[in-house]
Amino acid sequence: MSGVPGTEIERSNYTLETLYEHQEHDFVVDTIPHVIAWVPSRDVAPDPQPFMFHMDVASPGGTEPRSMEIALAWNMEALERHDVDLSAKVARLRSGRSVDRERVTENAAYGLALVAISVLMPGRRVITICKGEAPDFLLDATPGALRGVEVAGRSSGGLPALRSIRLEKGPRLVARRDIAEVHISLWCAAPRVSELYQVKP
């Protein structure tokens, strides 16, 4: 993780229930069960909230990435006001009794990317999800000038795994003439690290 030894790292506290205010309900309600099933470790003793993600945030130009922490927490009672079946969905995902079992990491990364957008791009909202092409989330669907966020997650591997994804995806996104702005939001559960890179413009 980047940063100068001995300096205080910026921290952003965020609750999942706030996501319903910042992003569209349909995207939030579909991803929150996966986030809750994926983020805590699977150790015998569950980790206490908040769950800390160390994040590097960078823009083009070769400047040193900014290091920060996202402290993620949630209140099940508050979340269940938006989704009464949330606890049951989470239990099924954790037990593997769901057809979405193989997509927990992917969908959790989508939910966490919504968090990153809300924290680091305040006021911007995902308006649609692209099917079968990048970027995954569109913030602006203007033809020929798309603005969005490409998302990926890994259960393990840390920053090396995330950086390999970025190095693979970044050049392809930059080469797309129909994209005016694009970020890559990457998440790893063990260890809990993340990257948000603006690769274009």
Side-chain angles (χ1 to χ4, degrees), residues 16 19 27 31-32 35 106-116 137 151:
L16 279 183
L19 204 53
F27 303 146
T31 56
I32 280 183
V35 172
E106 178 184 4
N107 289 341
Y110 286 146
L112 292 167
L114 292 174
V115 170
F137 287 153
V151 182

Side-chain angles (χ1 to χ4, degrees), residues 16-17 20 25 28-38 49 73-94:
L16 279 183
E17 50 268 31
Y20 281 102
H25 176 278
V28 176
V29 76
D30 283 346
T31 56
I32 280 183
H34 296 83
V35 172
I36 296 174
W38 188 70
Q49 296 191 38
W74 56 80
N75 180 292
M76 289 296 289
E77 183 178 346
L79 287 170
E80 285 174 339
R81 296 190 192 112
H82 301 275
D83 182 3
V84 296
D85 296 323
L86 177 61
S87 292
K89 291 176 181 177
V90 172
R92 289 176 58 222
L93 288 169
R94 286 177 174 166

Side-chain angles (χ1 to χ4, degrees), residues 113-139:
L114 292 174
V115 170
I117 292 166
S118 301
V119 170
L120 296 166
M121 308 177 202
R124 303 187 77 175
R125 298 173 74 92
V126 173
I127 60 171
T128 191
I129 297 178
C130 291
K131 183 178 180 180
E133 66 176 351
D136 296 303
F137 287 153
L138 285 184
L139 306 169

Side-chain angles (χ1 to χ4, degrees), residues 12 19 78 91 136 152 154 178:
S12 180
L19 204 53
D136 296 303
R154 291 291 182 269
D178 60 331

Side-chain angles (χ1 to χ4, degrees), residues 96 170 176:
R176 288 267 301 277

